Amino acid sequence: MNKPLIVITGASSGFGAACARLFSARGYPLLLLARRIERLTALGLPNVLCREVDVTDRDALAAAVQEAEAQFGPADLIVNNAGQMLLGKLSEQDPSEWERMLDVNVKGVLNGIHAVLPGMLARRHGTIINISSIAGRKTFPNHAAYCGTKFAVHAISENLREEVALQDVRVITIAPGAAETELLSHTSSQDIKDGYEAWKEQMGGVISAEDIAEAVRYAYEQPQNLCIREIVLAATRQEP
């Protein structure tokens, strides 16, 4: 039996690339989306459509999903993974960084949902997995704007689940703690980056992108009548 199409945003690195490798190894066809197309093709995965798409471009995202569905069949899972983490104090941070995070972390998730949800509702089958953060459940120093976007992801996910549960569509939130990704590199303050790295060392290492991919796989591959609504995971030694 052929496996259904999986869509992954922000698939060029970190959690997205790890999800792509894991699901490809399990025989799923994939639509991989990212701004860095060369990183997608470098993954070298079979049965994959790679497209250079910024999740803030709603039309381009929808067009890529339609193209992949024409090739592989309906999308049964989207992993809304694309995100930006730009840390700073609100009194000091460039407001353009807030805007970028709101565009990618919130509107990008909404755009991904919008691209697949009508088809899932019509088929009465499908799963939406939104990659949030433990920063969507509690606050951290220098995270005010970032936390705001991730709290939004949690709220959107929970409200959407309530809307679509009776049509047999699952909505799942994955909330990682500190992890090894490229997210921190986007932060402009070197002092904040140094402090974050020291915090990671203090806890003796953080979770890997592969840990997150495995959580995504576990939640998705449950029977459709079982929705694991939320998974929060972090290094054992991460205190907050």
Side-chain angles (χ1 to χ4, degrees):
M1 180 178 175
N2 291 334
K3 293 191 175 183
L5 171 65
I6 291 175
V7 180
I8 304 172
T9 71
S12 60
S13 65
F15 303 155
C19 285
R21 289 189 291 266
L22 178 59
F23 280 112
S24 177
R26 297 180 72 81
Y28 291 91
L30 304 175
L31 169 62
L32 303 182
L33 304 175
R35 291 176 298 161
R36 298 174 293 183
I37 186 71
E38 70 284 354
R39 297 280 290 268
L40 298 178
T41 55
L43 291 170
L45 301 176
N47 218 23
V48 166
L49 181 65
C50 299
R51 287 294 177 263
E52 183 177 351
V53 170
D54 188 319
V55 293
T56 64
D57 187 337
R58 186 181 304 116
D59 291 341
L61 202 165
V65 169
Q66 290 170 8
E67 181 184 3
E69 289 187 326
Q71 182 173 341
F72 297 119
D76 193 55
L77 167 66
I78 187 168
V79 182
N80 283 310
N81 166 73
Q84 296 239 318
M85 185 174 74
L86 305 169
L87 304 183
K89 289 183 171 60
L90 287 185
S91 60
E92 302 170 357
Q93 194 170 18
D94 186 337
S96 67
E97 295 188 350
W98 314 337
E99 292 169 359
R100 182 62 185 166
M101 285 191 289
L102 285 165
D103 285 345
V104 175
N105 299 359
V106 181
K107 293 179 186 177
V109 168
L110 290 169
N111 289 341
I113 292 168
H114 193 259
V116 300
L117 186 57
M120 290 181 176
L121 292 174
R123 294 186 298 274
R124 301 185 69 91
H125 202 284
T127 304
I128 293 167
I129 296 184
N130 296 327
I131 305 298
S132 183
S133 169
I134 202 169
R137 294 172 56 88
K138 68 180 303 299
T139 58
F140 294 85
N142 303 309
H143 281 60
Y146 179 73
C147 281
T149 67
K150 292 302 185 178
F151 269 72
V153 171
H154 277 255
I156 290 165
S157 301
E158 183 65 12
N159 212 153
L160 176 63
R161 185 194 59 75
E162 294 168 1
E163 288 182 12
V164 303
L166 293 181
Q167 285 110 318
D168 302 311
V169 173
R170 300 182 299 183
V171 182
I172 297 165
T173 308
I174 307 289
E180 285 299 341
T181 73
E182 295 181 6
L183 279 178
L184 184 63
S185 65
H186 302 150
T187 293
S188 55
S189 168
Q190 190 59 47
D191 287 344
I192 291 176
K193 287 195 279 192
D194 291 344
Y196 197 93
E197 292 293 348
W199 178 54
K200 285 163 57 176
E201 290 179 18
Q202 179 183 335
M203 72 178 80
V206 296
I207 55 178
S208 70
E210 288 70 28
D211 294 327
I212 308 307
E214 179 57 29
V216 171
R217 182 211 62 77
Y218 170 75
Y220 173 61
E221 290 190 339
Q222 299 303 308
Q224 188 69 20
N225 67 342
L226 174 62
C227 180
I228 298 175
R229 297 179 180 183
E230 185 173 335
I231 298 178
V232 182
L233 64 166
T236 300
R237 289 178 58 88
Q238 180 173 336
E239 296 173 88

